[in-house]
Amino acid sequence: MPEAIRILHLIDKNRLTTGSVVQTLQAARGLSGRGHEVSVGSRAGGDLESACVEAGLSFLQLPFRQAFDPASIAQLRRFLRHHRIQIVHAHKGRAHAASLMAAAGLGRFPRLVVNRGVSFPLDLFNRWKYRHPRVGAIVCVADAVAKTVMRTGGVGRTKVHTVYGGTDRDAFEPDPSEGVKVRRELKLGRRNLMIAQVSVRNWKGWSDLVAAFARIASIFPEVRLLLVGCEPEHERRRVVAAARGAGLAESVLTMPFRRDMPEVLAACDIVVDASWAGTGITGTIREAMAMGRAVLATDCGGNRELVIDGEVGLLVPPRDVEALAGALERLLADAALRQKLGAAARRRILDHFTTEQRIDRLEALYRRILAGSLGTSSR
């Protein structure tokens, strides 16, 4: 049997409503199931800690008050030395910075693997972090992200690796009955088709989506637009005000981030990502595809690596409200097209974007780092 690896997954966010936290937990749980010694480090107080305990994973509580938090660095350093950690996989910026400080002077190990999930350019500080000799590999969630890291960070090709995010094929199994509870909660009838997008950060393009929906709402008066992740409250009020200003007060629905995303997606007919900046590959689009839902995304970041236009979903240019409205109208008017795209979308996820495939690639990458045999980048 191959030797077990001592791994610490580190992330400063601690709520399972965040895609990066879900991916961290999935990787830790999967690698532990393959016999590796896996721990997770994060803030206390979120639901990540209880999920780790339930999965039998050691959990390291760290304050992560800032990028260079002395208490976190000191505590992390003690953990690395005591448990002789070989690989630290840092999933966010504060975790990355703390790992570099904590590992200083500890010798060859631990080696640092850094996740990059957004396509924003690297600034001067990030360039230093990503080019540090302690970093054995940069795991990018899309080729588009990898290209940005190399172009703006001056990082060599052999250090940058694309590993697509994974989807739990069992949790996101198509089952129309799962959506009944959410549709009842939203007071939707059988005639109400529903469009949804997750996250109302500005660069996610939710305001473009509301504007596009306003252009077709009179054609489809029974259709509803659901925006998930409308929190904190001032963000929800901003969405509600925009909907009211567009004459859509009764047609635009909101909800906070949810843990029951399979049920939420099952209640939807079309799932959208209208992002215009920063996107890696949109996790909720990937999950909706696994659920067999029709998806519509902007050609932003790595979305075209996931959504093959016209085959498994539709792609439109970012910030093009007219194109977004036209694609929505096309999907709403054609149930057969929605069904065809949804079926093809699920096949694509099962072929290329499962949790098992992601864990295979991470495990192989860790072993290559430890063996000193990294070559060209891999998927």
Side-chain angles (χ1 to χ4, degrees):
M1 292 289 292
E3 185 176 347
I5 305 171
R6 296 183 296 278
I7 306 162
L8 172 64
H9 282 273
L10 205 60
I11 187 165
D12 47 271
K13 295 184 180 296
N14 63 1
R15 293 180 61 196
L16 288 167
T17 51
T18 304
S20 57
V21 179
V22 172
Q23 292 289 304
T24 298
L25 177 62
Q26 286 183 354
R29 197 160 45 197
L31 289 160
S32 176
R34 296 185 181 192
H36 300 291
E37 299 176 26
V38 184
S39 303
V40 175
S42 186
R43 290 188 178 101
D47 50 5
L48 176 60
E49 181 174 4
S50 59
C52 287
V53 171
E54 184 179 337
L57 298 167
S58 171
F59 187 85
L60 171 64
Q61 292 184 3
L62 295 168
F64 278 131
R65 297 185 185 93
Q66 56 195 10
F68 291 98
D69 179 43
S72 297
I73 293 167
Q75 191 175 345
L76 178 57
R77 184 178 178 84
R78 289 193 295 270
F79 187 89
L80 297 177
R81 295 180 70 173
H82 179 75
H83 293 276
R84 296 181 298 118
I85 298 297
Q86 295 169 289
I87 295 287
V88 175
H89 192 147
H91 294 264
K92 285 290 182 181
R94 290 187 182 184
H96 183 174
S99 298
L100 289 176
M101 297 297 100
L106 292 186
R108 182 185 173 197
F109 300 115
R111 299 291 284 163
L112 186 58
V113 174
V114 181
N115 240 69
R116 183 71 176 173
V118 293
S119 55
F120 293 115
L122 298 182
D123 59 23
L124 183 62
F125 175 58
N126 277 327
R127 284 197 290 274
W128 170 79
K129 288 199 301 178
Y130 281 83
R131 294 172 65 175
H132 194 283
R134 176 73 64 176
V135 177
I138 301 163
V139 171
C140 299
V141 301
D143 286 340
V145 175
K147 291 174 182 175
T148 299
V149 168
M150 290 186 288
R151 185 183 74 252
T152 64
V155 181
R157 184 65 173 144
T158 59
K159 201 172 188 177
V160 181
H161 302 260
T162 298
V163 179
Y164 291 132
T167 305
D168 185 333
R169 59 193 299 166
D170 295 325
F172 291 91
E173 177 78 27
D175 182 355
S177 66
E178 285 191 345
V180 171
K181 180 181 71 173
V182 172
R183 290 183 68 87
R184 187 180 300 123
E185 174 187 339
L186 296 172
K187 298 180 173 58
L188 300 181
R190 292 183 179 180
R191 297 177 60 189
N192 295 125
L193 296 181
M194 187 162 72
I195 304 163
Q197 174 165 306
V198 178
S199 181
V200 294
R201 285 177 288 184
N202 184 48
W203 54 270
K204 294 295 287 184
W206 68 269
S207 58
D208 291 343
L209 179 55
V210 170
F213 182 55
R215 299 189 184 206
I216 62 168
S218 62
I219 306 172
F220 304 98
E222 302 295 330
V223 173
R224 298 294 179 261
L225 171 61
L226 172 67
L227 293 171
V228 183
C230 292
E231 55 181 62
E233 176 60 22
H234 72 269
E235 293 290 352
R236 191 192 71 82
R237 288 197 298 267
R238 192 157 66 104
V239 171
V240 170
R244 188 181 299 115
L248 300 170
E250 302 301 320
S251 300
V252 175
L253 311 174
T254 66
M255 63 170 52
F257 285 110
R258 301 279 289 240
R259 288 286 305 275
D260 58 342
M261 282 309 298
E263 288 81 0
V264 173
L265 294 173
C268 301
D269 299 283
I270 302 167
V271 178
V272 180
D273 173 45
S275 296
W276 48 264
T279 300
I281 284 182
T282 304
T284 51
I285 292 292
R286 188 185 64 245
E287 292 167 352
M289 289 171 65
M291 296 286 293
R293 291 296 175 263
V295 299
L296 166 58
T298 50
D299 189 2
C300 181
N303 276 346
R304 67 165 44 239
E305 298 169 47
L306 173 67
V307 181
I308 302 173
D309 186 34
E311 290 187 28
V312 303
L314 299 183
L315 283 178
V316 297
R319 307 239 73 171
D320 189 333
V321 173
E322 287 287 350
L324 191 58
L328 284 173
E329 183 175 356
R330 180 183 172 193
L331 290 172
L332 289 168
D334 194 338
L337 177 61
R338 295 197 303 270
Q339 185 175 12
K340 175 187 172 184
L341 292 176
R346 177 160 174 82
R347 288 194 298 271
R348 178 153 176 77
I349 296 303
L350 297 183
D351 288 344
H352 300 288
F353 294 90
T354 66
T355 298
E356 293 83 0
Q357 289 163 328
R358 177 171 180 254
I359 293 169
D360 286 343
R361 292 160 188 157
L362 290 179
E363 184 180 36
L365 180 61
Y366 296 165
R367 291 202 182 281
R368 290 166 63 201
I369 291 170
L370 296 179
S373 60
L374 278 181
T376 56
S377 65
S378 60
R379 289 235 172 111

